[in-house]
Structures are given as structure tokens and as C-alpha cells.
Amino acid sequence: MSLRISSACFFLVAAGCGAKPDDKVANAAPDDRIECAVHGATTFTKNCAVERGEGTLLVLRHENGGFRRINLTSDGAISPADGSDAAAGKPLPDGRFELVIGGDRYRLPPRK
């Protein structure tokens, strides 16, 4: 009986994990918010945030709590940092970089 109750509690907690907007995106500084089209969206909105980790690590955070981790090296090479889908990208005429991972697309600001 206790196994069933604890299993039910685990699933209720796990189901609630993705239910609220990600505070890290909502509280991100304006310069850290980026345009994205995630989960099959056809238009870009500024509902994602980029977080710079150690070295070449970037964390691309979604408003719903999801995220992608990538390595973006100084020579422009892109690779997933956590074994996720392959990443591809292209420079945009305005200096930004459009990154595609799976069905998600991100527009990263020019490097400083």
C-alpha cells in the first residue's frame, strides 16, 4: 500500500514540475532574453533566456522550464553539452546567430 501511495505522490510531483513558467526566464535581465521558436512554434518570440555557464557552455532556457545545453566555442563550433539532439546554425545578416536543435530554434545575440 505504501508503495502505491509513494508512487502516486511521485507522479503528482513530477507532473507539476513543468506546470509553471520558469522563474529564470521571467526574471532574466533584458539583455539575457532571446528570441526563440520552441515546441514547433512557427514565429519567434522573446520568451527564452540565455545563461552563460563555465567556459563555452550556454544554457538556453524555455519559458515552460525546459532548456537546452550547448557548447559554443570561439571558432563557432556548436555541440550539445548533454547528449541532446544535434545542433546546427547559421549567421544572420544582422549579426545574430540562428541555432536549431531538434525542432527548437533560437536567435543568439552577436558575440561581444
Side-chain angles (χ1 to χ4, degrees), residues 69-100:
R69 292 167 30 105
I70 62 163
N71 287 309
L72 183 62
T73 62
S74 59
D75 65 356
I78 304 165
S79 64
D82 54 8
S84 67
D85 297 326
K90 64 180 180 183
L92 298 173
D94 64 1
R96 293 181 298 168
F97 189 82
E98 187 168 317
L99 179 65
V100 179

mmCIF file of all heavy atoms in Angstrom, residues 69-100:
data_model
loop_
_atom_site.group_PDB
_atom_site.id
_atom_site.type_symbol
_atom_site.label_atom_id
_atom_site.label_comp_id
_atom_site.label_asym_id
_atom_site.label_seq_id
_atom_site.Cartn_x
_atom_site.Cartn_y
_atom_site.Cartn_z
ATOM 1 N N ARG A 69 21.289 22.640 -23.366
ATOM 2 C CA ARG A 69 22.665 22.993 -23.002
ATOM 3 C C ARG A 69 23.547 22.746 -24.209
ATOM 4 O O ARG A 69 23.517 21.665 -24.789
ATOM 5 C CB ARG A 69 23.138 22.139 -21.820
ATOM 6 C CG ARG A 69 22.412 22.453 -20.542
ATOM 7 C CD ARG A 69 22.650 21.409 -19.445
ATOM 8 N NE ARG A 69 23.928 20.754 -19.493
ATOM 9 C CZ ARG A 69 24.956 21.000 -18.663
ATOM 10 N NH1 ARG A 69 24.833 21.892 -17.729
ATOM 11 N NH2 ARG A 69 26.080 20.349 -18.782
ATOM 12 N N ILE A 70 24.320 23.762 -24.583
ATOM 13 C CA ILE A 70 25.215 23.630 -25.739
ATOM 14 C C ILE A 70 26.588 24.182 -25.406
ATOM 15 O O ILE A 70 26.748 24.996 -24.484
ATOM 16 C CB ILE A 70 24.668 24.361 -26.987
ATOM 17 C CG1 ILE A 70 24.553 25.868 -26.712
ATOM 18 C CG2 ILE A 70 23.348 23.792 -27.430
ATOM 19 C CD1 ILE A 70 24.422 26.694 -27.972
ATOM 20 N N ASN A 71 27.564 23.733 -26.172
ATOM 21 C CA ASN A 71 28.905 24.319 -26.143
ATOM 22 C C ASN A 71 29.061 25.118 -27.425
ATOM 23 O O ASN A 71 28.830 24.597 -28.517
ATOM 24 C CB ASN A 71 29.981 23.233 -26.074
ATOM 25 C CG ASN A 71 30.037 22.594 -24.712
ATOM 26 O OD1 ASN A 71 30.112 23.285 -23.706
ATOM 27 N ND2 ASN A 71 29.978 21.285 -24.670
ATOM 28 N N LEU A 72 29.420 26.374 -27.293
ATOM 29 C CA LEU A 72 29.648 27.246 -28.439
ATOM 30 C C LEU A 72 31.071 27.774 -28.309
ATOM 31 O O LEU A 72 31.354 28.620 -27.469
ATOM 32 C CB LEU A 72 28.634 28.397 -28.447
ATOM 33 C CG LEU A 72 28.680 29.356 -29.613
ATOM 34 C CD1 LEU A 72 28.400 28.634 -30.926
ATOM 35 C CD2 LEU A 72 27.653 30.458 -29.414
ATOM 36 N N THR A 73 31.974 27.238 -29.118
ATOM 37 C CA THR A 73 33.382 27.581 -28.989
ATOM 38 C C THR A 73 33.712 28.888 -29.709
ATOM 39 O O THR A 73 32.924 29.377 -30.519
ATOM 40 C CB THR A 73 34.273 26.449 -29.536
ATOM 41 O OG1 THR A 73 33.990 26.283 -30.916
ATOM 42 C CG2 THR A 73 34.018 25.147 -28.793
ATOM 43 N N SER A 74 34.877 29.417 -29.444
ATOM 44 C CA SER A 74 35.283 30.700 -30.030
ATOM 45 C C SER A 74 35.425 30.629 -31.542
ATOM 46 O O SER A 74 35.303 31.629 -32.228
ATOM 47 C CB SER A 74 36.597 31.180 -29.401
ATOM 48 O OG SER A 74 37.606 30.212 -29.612
ATOM 49 N N ASP A 75 35.662 29.420 -32.080
ATOM 50 C CA ASP A 75 35.766 29.290 -33.536
ATOM 51 C C ASP A 75 34.405 29.046 -34.202
ATOM 52 O O ASP A 75 34.311 28.817 -35.396
ATOM 53 C CB ASP A 75 36.760 28.198 -33.929
ATOM 54 C CG ASP A 75 36.301 26.810 -33.497
ATOM 55 O OD1 ASP A 75 35.260 26.684 -32.834
ATOM 56 O OD2 ASP A 75 37.014 25.851 -33.835
ATOM 57 N N GLY A 76 33.319 29.084 -33.393
ATOM 58 C CA GLY A 76 31.973 28.952 -33.935
ATOM 59 C C GLY A 76 31.421 27.542 -33.964
ATOM 60 O O GLY A 76 30.298 27.326 -34.399
ATOM 61 N N ALA A 77 32.183 26.561 -33.480
ATOM 62 C CA ALA A 77 31.691 25.188 -33.457
ATOM 63 C C ALA A 77 30.603 25.043 -32.395
ATOM 64 O O ALA A 77 30.685 25.622 -31.320
ATOM 65 C CB ALA A 77 32.836 24.222 -33.167
ATOM 66 N N ILE A 78 29.572 24.270 -32.725
ATOM 67 C CA ILE A 78 28.437 24.062 -31.833
ATOM 68 C C ILE A 78 28.322 22.575 -31.555
ATOM 69 O O ILE A 78 28.400 21.758 -32.472
ATOM 70 C CB ILE A 78 27.124 24.511 -32.503
ATOM 71 C CG1 ILE A 78 27.208 25.951 -32.945
ATOM 72 C CG2 ILE A 78 25.938 24.304 -31.583
ATOM 73 C CD1 ILE A 78 26.110 26.321 -33.925
ATOM 74 N N SER A 79 28.111 22.225 -30.279
ATOM 75 C CA SER A 79 27.859 20.830 -29.948
ATOM 76 C C SER A 79 26.946 20.768 -28.735
ATOM 77 O O SER A 79 27.013 21.635 -27.864
ATOM 78 C CB SER A 79 29.170 20.081 -29.672
ATOM 79 O OG SER A 79 29.804 20.619 -28.540
ATOM 80 N N PRO A 80 26.082 19.752 -28.679
ATOM 81 C CA PRO A 80 25.233 19.611 -27.495
ATOM 82 C C PRO A 80 26.089 19.268 -26.290
ATOM 83 O O PRO A 80 27.045 18.507 -26.403
ATOM 84 C CB PRO A 80 24.284 18.478 -27.856
ATOM 85 C CG PRO A 80 24.825 17.830 -29.069
ATOM 86 C CD PRO A 80 25.825 18.745 -29.681
ATOM 87 N N ALA A 81 25.770 19.839 -25.142
ATOM 88 C CA ALA A 81 26.572 19.613 -23.945
ATOM 89 C C ALA A 81 26.051 18.443 -23.118
ATOM 90 O O ALA A 81 26.696 18.016 -22.189
ATOM 91 C CB ALA A 81 26.600 20.879 -23.090
ATOM 92 N N ASP A 82 24.881 17.938 -23.447
ATOM 93 C CA ASP A 82 24.292 16.900 -22.614
ATOM 94 C C ASP A 82 23.756 15.721 -23.412
ATOM 95 O O ASP A 82 22.853 15.033 -22.982
ATOM 96 C CB ASP A 82 23.186 17.489 -21.754
ATOM 97 C CG ASP A 82 22.139 18.220 -22.575
ATOM 98 O OD1 ASP A 82 22.197 18.145 -23.812
ATOM 99 O OD2 ASP A 82 21.268 18.863 -21.979
ATOM 100 N N GLY A 83 24.292 15.511 -24.595
ATOM 101 C CA GLY A 83 23.857 14.388 -25.402
ATOM 102 C C GLY A 83 22.504 14.588 -26.065
ATOM 103 O O GLY A 83 21.884 13.643 -26.505
ATOM 104 N N SER A 84 22.052 15.824 -26.136
ATOM 105 C CA SER A 84 20.748 16.086 -26.751
ATOM 106 C C SER A 84 20.854 16.003 -28.265
ATOM 107 O O SER A 84 21.864 15.577 -28.815
ATOM 108 C CB SER A 84 20.243 17.467 -26.333
ATOM 109 O OG SER A 84 21.060 18.473 -26.878
ATOM 110 N N ASP A 85 19.816 16.448 -28.947
ATOM 111 C CA ASP A 85 19.804 16.443 -30.410
ATOM 112 C C ASP A 85 20.980 17.229 -30.966
ATOM 113 O O ASP A 85 21.506 18.124 -30.319
ATOM 114 C CB ASP A 85 18.508 17.082 -30.921
ATOM 115 C CG ASP A 85 17.275 16.304 -30.499
ATOM 116 O OD1 ASP A 85 17.358 15.064 -30.409
ATOM 117 O OD2 ASP A 85 16.237 16.930 -30.268
ATOM 118 N N ALA A 86 21.354 16.893 -32.187
ATOM 119 C CA ALA A 86 22.438 17.609 -32.860
ATOM 120 C C ALA A 86 22.049 19.070 -33.058
ATOM 121 O O ALA A 86 20.875 19.395 -33.237
ATOM 122 C CB ALA A 86 22.732 16.963 -34.201
ATOM 123 N N ALA A 87 23.028 19.931 -33.015
ATOM 124 C CA ALA A 87 22.801 21.369 -33.180
ATOM 125 C C ALA A 87 23.370 21.829 -34.513
ATOM 126 O O ALA A 87 24.392 21.330 -34.968
ATOM 127 C CB ALA A 87 23.461 22.137 -32.039
ATOM 128 N N ALA A 88 22.681 22.759 -35.137
ATOM 129 C CA ALA A 88 23.150 23.366 -36.378
ATOM 130 C C ALA A 88 22.816 24.851 -36.302
ATOM 131 O O ALA A 88 21.967 25.266 -35.521
ATOM 132 C CB ALA A 88 22.462 22.725 -37.581
ATOM 133 N N GLY A 89 23.497 25.636 -37.107
ATOM 134 C CA GLY A 89 23.215 27.059 -37.062
ATOM 135 C C GLY A 89 23.746 27.794 -38.258
ATOM 136 O O GLY A 89 24.469 27.232 -39.078
ATOM 137 N N LYS A 90 23.356 29.058 -38.316
ATOM 138 C CA LYS A 90 23.821 29.908 -39.406
ATOM 139 C C LYS A 90 23.829 31.351 -38.928
ATOM 140 O O LYS A 90 23.004 31.763 -38.114
ATOM 141 C CB LYS A 90 22.915 29.762 -40.628
ATOM 142 C CG LYS A 90 21.493 30.247 -40.377
ATOM 143 C CD LYS A 90 20.624 30.092 -41.595
ATOM 144 C CE LYS A 90 19.214 30.593 -41.282
ATOM 145 N NZ LYS A 90 18.296 30.412 -42.366
ATOM 146 N N PRO A 91 24.772 32.147 -39.431
ATOM 147 C CA PRO A 91 24.785 33.570 -39.093
ATOM 148 C C PRO A 91 23.634 34.281 -39.813
ATOM 149 O O PRO A 91 23.262 33.922 -40.928
ATOM 150 C CB PRO A 91 26.136 34.058 -39.587
ATOM 151 C CG PRO A 91 26.634 33.011 -40.521
ATOM 152 C CD PRO A 91 25.905 31.747 -40.246
ATOM 153 N N LEU A 92 23.083 35.289 -39.158
ATOM 154 C CA LEU A 92 22.026 36.109 -39.750
ATOM 155 C C LEU A 92 22.624 37.430 -40.221
ATOM 156 O O LEU A 92 23.657 37.873 -39.690
ATOM 157 C CB LEU A 92 20.916 36.352 -38.725
ATOM 158 C CG LEU A 92 20.184 35.095 -38.233
ATOM 159 C CD1 LEU A 92 19.223 35.443 -37.103
ATOM 160 C CD2 LEU A 92 19.462 34.426 -39.382
ATOM 161 N N PRO A 93 22.005 38.094 -41.189
ATOM 162 C CA PRO A 93 22.551 39.352 -41.721
ATOM 163 C C PRO A 93 22.748 40.444 -40.669
ATOM 164 O O PRO A 93 23.631 41.278 -40.805
ATOM 165 C CB PRO A 93 21.515 39.793 -42.757
ATOM 166 C CG PRO A 93 20.784 38.563 -43.128
ATOM 167 C CD PRO A 93 20.813 37.677 -41.920
ATOM 168 N N ASP A 94 21.959 40.422 -39.587
ATOM 169 C CA ASP A 94 22.070 41.467 -38.562
ATOM 170 C C ASP A 94 23.124 41.175 -37.497
ATOM 171 O O ASP A 94 23.235 41.873 -36.506
ATOM 172 C CB ASP A 94 20.710 41.718 -37.914
ATOM 173 C CG ASP A 94 20.177 40.512 -37.153
ATOM 174 O OD1 ASP A 94 20.869 39.460 -37.091
ATOM 175 O OD2 ASP A 94 19.061 40.602 -36.610
ATOM 176 N N GLY A 95 23.905 40.095 -37.680
ATOM 177 C CA GLY A 95 24.974 39.772 -36.740
ATOM 178 C C GLY A 95 24.587 38.723 -35.713
ATOM 179 O O GLY A 95 25.441 38.183 -35.018
ATOM 180 N N ARG A 96 23.303 38.433 -35.592
ATOM 181 C CA ARG A 96 22.882 37.380 -34.674
ATOM 182 C C ARG A 96 23.159 36.018 -35.307
ATOM 183 O O ARG A 96 23.538 35.921 -36.470
ATOM 184 C CB ARG A 96 21.393 37.504 -34.343
ATOM 185 C CG ARG A 96 21.077 38.748 -33.537
ATOM 186 C CD ARG A 96 19.624 38.848 -33.188
ATOM 187 N NE ARG A 96 18.824 38.945 -34.418
ATOM 188 C CZ ARG A 96 17.513 38.810 -34.465
ATOM 189 N NH1 ARG A 96 16.826 38.560 -33.365
ATOM 190 N NH2 ARG A 96 16.862 38.917 -35.609
ATOM 191 N N PHE A 97 22.965 34.976 -34.516
ATOM 192 C CA PHE A 97 23.219 33.612 -34.958
ATOM 193 C C PHE A 97 21.963 32.795 -34.698
ATOM 194 O O PHE A 97 21.449 32.782 -33.580
ATOM 195 C CB PHE A 97 24.408 33.031 -34.183
ATOM 196 C CG PHE A 97 24.879 31.716 -34.696
ATOM 197 C CD1 PHE A 97 25.721 31.654 -35.788
ATOM 198 C CD2 PHE A 97 24.482 30.535 -34.087
ATOM 199 C CE1 PHE A 97 26.168 30.424 -36.272
ATOM 200 C CE2 PHE A 97 24.921 29.312 -34.564
ATOM 201 C CZ PHE A 97 25.770 29.259 -35.657
ATOM 202 N N GLU A 98 21.433 32.135 -35.729
ATOM 203 C CA GLU A 98 20.254 31.290 -35.546
ATOM 204 C C GLU A 98 20.702 29.860 -35.312
ATOM 205 O O GLU A 98 21.413 29.274 -36.115
ATOM 206 C CB GLU A 98 19.323 31.360 -36.744
ATOM 207 C CG GLU A 98 18.017 30.624 -36.480
ATOM 208 C CD GLU A 98 16.955 30.901 -37.517
ATOM 209 O OE1 GLU A 98 16.791 32.071 -37.917
ATOM 210 O OE2 GLU A 98 16.302 29.928 -37.936
ATOM 211 N N LEU A 99 20.273 29.314 -34.198
ATOM 212 C CA LEU A 99 20.649 27.980 -33.764
ATOM 213 C C LEU A 99 19.415 27.081 -33.819
ATOM 214 O O LEU A 99 18.337 27.479 -33.384
ATOM 215 C CB LEU A 99 21.187 28.052 -32.331
ATOM 216 C CG LEU A 99 21.622 26.774 -31.670
ATOM 217 C CD1 LEU A 99 22.819 26.182 -32.383
ATOM 218 C CD2 LEU A 99 21.977 27.046 -30.215
ATOM 219 N N VAL A 100 19.583 25.880 -34.349
ATOM 220 C CA VAL A 100 18.495 24.918 -34.445
ATOM 221 C C VAL A 100 18.917 23.645 -33.720
ATOM 222 O O VAL A 100 19.979 23.083 -33.997
ATOM 223 C CB VAL A 100 18.159 24.589 -35.915
ATOM 224 C CG1 VAL A 100 17.034 23.568 -35.995
ATOM 225 C CG2 VAL A 100 17.805 25.844 -36.681
#
